[in-house]
Amino acid sequence: MDNHPTPPKENEETVQATAPPRPPSRLKRWLIRLSAFLTISAVAHTIGAWTSIHAIMETRTAQGAVAWAVSLNTFPYMAVPLYWVFGRSEFQGYTTARHRVDEELLALEPEVETAGNSFLVTPKDPRGSHRVLTRMTELPMTTGNDVELLIDGDRTFESIFAGMDEAKEYILVQFFIVKNDGLGQRLRDKMIERAQAGIKVFFLYDEIGCHALPRGYLNALREAGVEVSAFGTTQGRGNRFQLNFRNHRKIVVTDGTTAWVGGHNVGDQYLGLSTKFGHWRDTHIRIAGPAVLAVQLAFLEDWYWATRNFVELNWIDALKQRGNKVVHIIPSSPADPQETTGLLFLEAITTARERIWIASPYFVPDEGIIAALKLADLRGVEVKILIPDDPDHQLVYLTAFTFLRDLKGTDIKIFRYQKGFLHQKVMLVDRDAAVVGTANLDNRSFRLNFEISALVVDEPFAAEVEAMLREDFAHSRIMNPTELDDKPFWFRFAARTARLMAPLQ
């Protein structure tokens, strides 16, 4: 007899409960995936639809609003993140910094007004643009200035470094791009040398333009006593998506009496030492006199945004007779209530009576600029546009070809500079006015960048600019009106496609 107890019979329900679950069938797995996809798609298209409403309400141009609305509703997966990075056209928070600077300067206003009233240009200024420009910028047009035209990099940086050597109180330095090469190290060493000599030095750089600048470069400046800050656009919780804005200004100010403004960044290529670009054609100016205060104010507003610190500067010594040139400083930014740079170009083109010559590395005008150029041509104004023949941005290069079709039937001439790369931002109006600055003729300068330009009203200075541009035209070729039509289909298609992306260029 078996004495071992018989194991109890397992309950059928217990066996079923402990058995591993059966895997879902292939059909069920497919339905689960389809349901997840449809849910994600519905969420994405809902976000895209709501974002498109924001784009329609906030995008500055009708073309941009339509493009974003279609993209956001058709391809929300890609378009939504792209919109929140590239779609914003209004810079938030900067006006707060501007008002804070204005409050700090309010105490100086009586003293500055007393010393500076004699340099203010009356409403009957030489070009009749006084009311437009002063209302647009809220800055005065001044006389009593001296302006020197600086052609190309060697002359520009020799002038800047000499001015830094002569500084007695402080030096303000601001550039969009600074490279850690020969010229960049010369600038670093000059700032260190002046700081160690007891001069206050402030260095402001764009965080995107100078993304490759090594930490050691900046640490060396800080260790020498230089005040250093990046201009970041994403400060504050509401500004975290402000990634598409750039501070494109190039400014140097010494002691509040002398300023340098123009197209040059800091790097060996801007001296013509690049094997890729060769000769680098660019233009800067040196200003001495009352107009320097407006350049200094633009720097101070940028510095306050970047650091939230107000810097005590000299606002009186510039108010002395340095020359006889009328100058109006035109800072612009995406925080402005108006599209300041675009309006500056329109004002110059529409007031021109004899000629309007524009040199710009990036020629991507909007419909308003194209219409103004055509109207100027119909008035009998000589219109010349100077752009590079060798591109540094392929989209901009391709887009420029498409404007030949817009300008057919006119006498407007587009020149392509062939002696290296053309980077200057210069405009000559009639016989008495010229603009030199940082602004290009494109959407980015009109709506997305912080820029600064100087309008100089003076016949001798305009004659210097004329001679400079004539030399540039001599090293250029004129584009044939049928040049795009003569290209192969793939090129014409690429050019038209590139133009669709003009708002991002």
Side-chain angles (χ1 to χ4, degrees), residues 87-349:
R88 297 182 66 166
S89 58
E90 292 186 4
F91 191 88
Q92 304 296 325
Y94 189 83
T95 52
T96 302
R98 180 174 291 165
H99 292 156
R100 175 61 176 158
V101 170
D102 290 344
E103 290 174 5
E104 293 284 352
L105 294 177
L106 195 60
L108 292 172
E109 189 172 348
E111 189 176 0
V112 173
E113 282 189 354
T114 300
N117 280 339
S118 60
F119 296 105
L120 298 179
V121 176
T122 66
K124 293 182 179 180
D125 71 278
R127 291 205 55 79
S129 300
H130 178 277
R131 179 176 174 82
V132 172
L133 295 176
T134 53
R135 288 191 65 188
M136 187 167 66
T137 63
E138 297 183 353
L139 293 171
M141 181 179 286
T142 63
T143 187
N145 298 286
D146 178 64
V147 182
E148 179 185 4
L149 185 66
L150 302 171
I151 301 174
D152 289 342
D154 287 333
R155 188 173 172 187
T156 294
F157 286 101
E158 285 174 7
S159 177
I160 289 174
F161 290 150
M164 293 173 71
D165 285 336
E166 296 172 0
K168 300 295 190 296
E169 297 180 43
Y170 60 84
I171 302 170
L172 314 177
V173 179
Q174 177 179 3
F175 283 99
F176 173 56
I177 295 174
V178 177
K179 297 190 175 182
N180 186 33
D181 55 15
L183 182 60
Q185 291 167 10
R186 283 175 60 195
L187 176 65
R188 177 201 61 195
D189 294 345
K190 181 63 67 176
M191 288 191 285
I192 289 174
E193 173 193 322
R194 300 309 291 148
Q196 291 176 340
I199 307 299
K200 295 179 181 178
V201 181
F202 302 86
F203 176 51
L204 182 64
Y205 62 95
D206 183 82
E207 66 176 351
I208 302 298
C210 293
H211 69 278
L213 196 61
R215 185 173 298 177
Y217 186 105
L218 303 173
N219 288 341
L221 291 171
R222 293 189 177 101
E223 289 169 4
V226 177
E227 295 286 336
V228 178
S229 178
F231 186 94
T233 61
T234 57
Q235 295 186 53
R237 295 180 61 186
N239 302 331
R240 63 187 62 185
F241 293 112
Q242 294 188 155
L243 300 175
N244 196 31
F245 301 103
R246 307 283 184 272
N247 196 313
H248 196 238
R249 293 171 179 167
K250 296 94 173 172
I251 292 171
V252 176
V253 177
T254 58
D255 297 339
T257 60
T258 310
W260 290 260
V261 172
H264 283 96
N265 290 299
V266 181
D268 287 347
Q269 74 184 68
Y270 303 101
L271 299 177
L273 301 177
S274 167
T275 56
K276 178 181 179 180
F277 295 107
H279 176 63
W280 190 275
R281 179 68 193 87
D282 220 329
T283 302
H284 238 69
I285 55 174
R286 181 190 63 83
I287 307 168
V292 173
L293 298 186
V295 181
Q296 182 166 271
L297 178 62
F299 177 92
L300 185 58
E301 290 177 347
D302 287 351
W303 183 264
Y304 187 84
W305 162 264
T307 67
R308 290 303 189 266
N309 290 322
F310 183 83
V311 180
E312 297 291 339
L313 300 174
N314 188 336
W315 299 94
I316 302 300
D317 287 352
L319 299 173
K320 297 176 182 178
Q321 186 80 25
R322 309 282 181 174
N324 58 0
K325 293 175 175 57
V326 172
V327 177
H328 197 111
I329 301 299
I330 302 121
S332 63
S333 80
D336 294 350
Q338 308 286 347
E339 293 177 3
T340 305
T341 294
L343 291 176
L344 170 63
F345 276 96
L346 282 174
E347 170 69 9
I349 296 168

Side-chain angles (χ1 to χ4, degrees), residues 281 283 356-363 383-389 400 412-419 421-427 440-441 465-466 468-479:
R281 179 68 193 87
T283 302
I356 179 80
W357 296 356
I358 301 173
S360 175
Y362 311 125
F363 181 65
V383 181
K384 292 182 178 182
I385 309 295
L386 180 63
I387 60 178
D389 198 32
I412 298 171
K413 292 181 173 60
I414 300 180
F415 292 76
R416 283 196 176 273
Y417 187 75
Q418 296 183 292
K419 188 185 175 183
F421 183 71
L422 179 110
H423 191 253
Q424 63 176 328
K425 304 91 163 57
V426 173
M427 185 160 45
N440 299 305
L441 212 165
V465 174
E466 176 186 356
M468 176 185 73
L469 293 178
R470 286 193 184 280
E471 179 70 15
D472 294 335
F473 290 137
H475 295 287
S476 306
R477 67 176 182 88
I478 302 177
M479 294 187 74

